[in-house]
């Protein structure tokens, strides 16, 4: 095992990665961690995850090490998810989450991609200052997932966007507009991919959420949203 773990072409050795992950796991189990401490641990876990993904894509390793690497990646993802659910407020984590998710989508690891996307929900619900950036990243990930043949990840992104919208108030009009734009972008991508089921699902979510009189973007903005999708969808049927 020691010889196999030194066959990594780039980055830290596999053994060092395992040691770091084990150390971080122990630290996350401490009681009464502050929000700042959780955020630092979250960043460190995601750094380990990105190191592991770099190794996996660039390294020459035996099958046994590949299997252990996959298990290690799953450990990191699930530990980070547990930490995120306890409450973290880290803008740097959003970028690392996005990059990790893109890797899993491109590698067709749908389960891990969905676990990473799921982390956005507790982070954005509990941290209002991260919502704008987080919503933009969810919109981008949802579109990429549709292009990469993972439409269920797209629907998951749309679901989280709608859930986050329930946390907004009348003072969040700009954010509400961006949120609606992200739903529109994902619906347009579904139309481009000729995925009628997901197109309908995303539009239905938007209609249910934004047609209520109590929401900021009721009325004319909802009409604008629907007209855009109607003309886009109609254009696709003619192609």
């Amino acid at each position: 095992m020691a010889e196999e773990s030194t066959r990594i072409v780039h980055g830290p050795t596999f053994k060092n990665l395992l040691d770091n992950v084990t150390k971080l796991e122990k630290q996350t189990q401490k009681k009464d961690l502050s929000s700042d401490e959780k955020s630092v641990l979250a960043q460190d876990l995601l750094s380990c995850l990105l190191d592991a993904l770099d190794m996996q894509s660039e390294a020459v390793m035996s099958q046994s090490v590949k299997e252990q690497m996959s298990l290690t990646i799953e450990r990191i993802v699930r530990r980070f998810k547990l930490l995120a659910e306890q409450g973290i407020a880290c803008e740097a984590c959003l970028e690392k989450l996005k990059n990790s998710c893109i890797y899993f989508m491109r590698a067709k690891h749908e389960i891990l991609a969905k676990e990473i996307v799921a982390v956005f929900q507790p982070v954005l619900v509990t941290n209002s200052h991260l919502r704008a950036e987080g919503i933009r990243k969810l919109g981008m990930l949802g579109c990429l997932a549709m292009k990469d043949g993972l439409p269920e990840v797209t629907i998951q992104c749309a679901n989280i966007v709608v859930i986050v919208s329930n946390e907004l108030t009348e003072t969040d009009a700009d954010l509400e507009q961006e949120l609606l734009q992200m739903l529109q972008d994902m619906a347009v991508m579904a139309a481009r991919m000729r995925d009628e089921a997901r197109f309908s699902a995303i539009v239905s979510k938007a209609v249910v959420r934004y047609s209520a009189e109590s929401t900021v973007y009721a009325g004319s903005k909802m009409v604008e949203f629907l007209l855009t999708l109607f003309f886009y969808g109609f254009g696709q049927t003619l192609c």
Side-chain angles (χ1 to χ4, degrees):
M1 175 65 193
E3 293 180 356
E4 289 178 336
S5 67
T6 62
R7 297 176 64 194
I8 302 301
V9 176
H10 296 294
T13 65
F14 183 46
K15 182 179 183 305
N16 286 341
L17 175 68
L18 287 175
D19 289 344
N20 288 337
V21 172
T22 300
K23 180 180 72 174
L24 290 171
E25 282 181 324
K26 291 179 179 178
Q27 290 176 343
T28 61
Q29 293 170 1
K30 294 180 180 179
K31 295 182 179 180
D32 301 323
L33 289 171
S34 68
S35 178
D36 287 343
E37 289 173 326
K38 291 176 184 177
S39 294
V40 170
L41 287 173
Q43 289 189 72
D44 290 343
L45 281 169
L46 286 177
S47 293
C48 284
L49 177 59
L50 293 174
D51 286 341
L53 296 179
D54 285 340
M55 289 182 194
Q56 195 173 57
S57 62
E58 299 178 6
V60 177
M61 61 184 79
S62 69
Q63 185 60 36
S64 63
V65 172
K66 286 182 180 179
E67 291 173 356
Q68 290 191 58
M69 179 69 79
S70 295
L71 292 174
T72 300
I73 289 172
E74 291 179 12
R75 280 172 60 193
I76 298 170
V77 170
R78 296 196 169 103
R79 179 59 59 180
F80 176 82
K81 186 178 178 182
L82 288 172
L83 191 61
E85 289 171 349
Q86 296 172 22
I88 59 172
C90 170
E91 189 169 356
C93 290
L94 294 181
E95 183 67 17
K96 292 179 179 179
L97 277 174
K98 181 204 74 176
N99 292 338
S100 300
C101 190
I102 290 173
Y103 176 90
F104 290 133
M105 290 193 298
R106 295 288 160 80
K108 304 301 181 184
H109 293 321
E110 184 173 9
I111 292 176
L112 289 177
K114 291 176 77 171
E115 289 204 28
I116 287 291
V117 169
V119 174
F120 277 90
Q121 181 175 328
V123 173
L124 300 185
V125 166
T126 57
N127 297 285
S128 59
H129 67 287
L130 298 179
R131 286 174 188 160
E133 185 63 26
I135 285 170
R136 285 192 288 270
K137 284 179 167 42
L138 283 171
M140 186 200 70
L141 290 172
C143 291
L144 286 176
M146 185 63 66
K147 289 178 66 176
D148 288 341
L150 299 173
E152 291 307 309
V153 176
T154 302
I155 294 300
Q156 184 185 19
C157 290
N159 284 337
I160 296 174
V161 167
V162 172
I163 289 170
V164 173
S165 75
N166 292 322
E167 304 297 322
L168 305 184
T169 67
E170 292 185 359
T171 63
D172 296 315
D174 290 343
L175 184 54
E176 193 93 52
Q177 183 176 10
E178 187 154 21
L179 193 149
L180 191 57
Q181 182 65 50
M182 293 303 100
L183 289 175
Q184 180 175 300
D185 290 349
M186 285 186 272
V188 166
M189 184 57 69
R192 285 179 178 172
M193 303 303 293
R194 308 301 178 106
D195 193 328
E196 182 179 348
R198 274 70 182 202
F199 175 84
S200 298
I202 295 169
V203 173
S204 295
K205 292 176 190 301
V207 170
V208 170
R209 173 67 181 92
Y210 290 101
S211 60
E213 292 182 1
S214 60
T215 61
V216 177
Y217 267 75
S220 62
K221 291 297 181 182
M222 194 67 233
V223 171
E224 180 182 333
F225 172 84
L226 292 174
L227 283 175
T228 299
L229 294 180
F230 172 77
F231 285 115
Y232 192 92
F234 181 72
Q236 288 293 305
T237 63
L238 296 179
C239 296

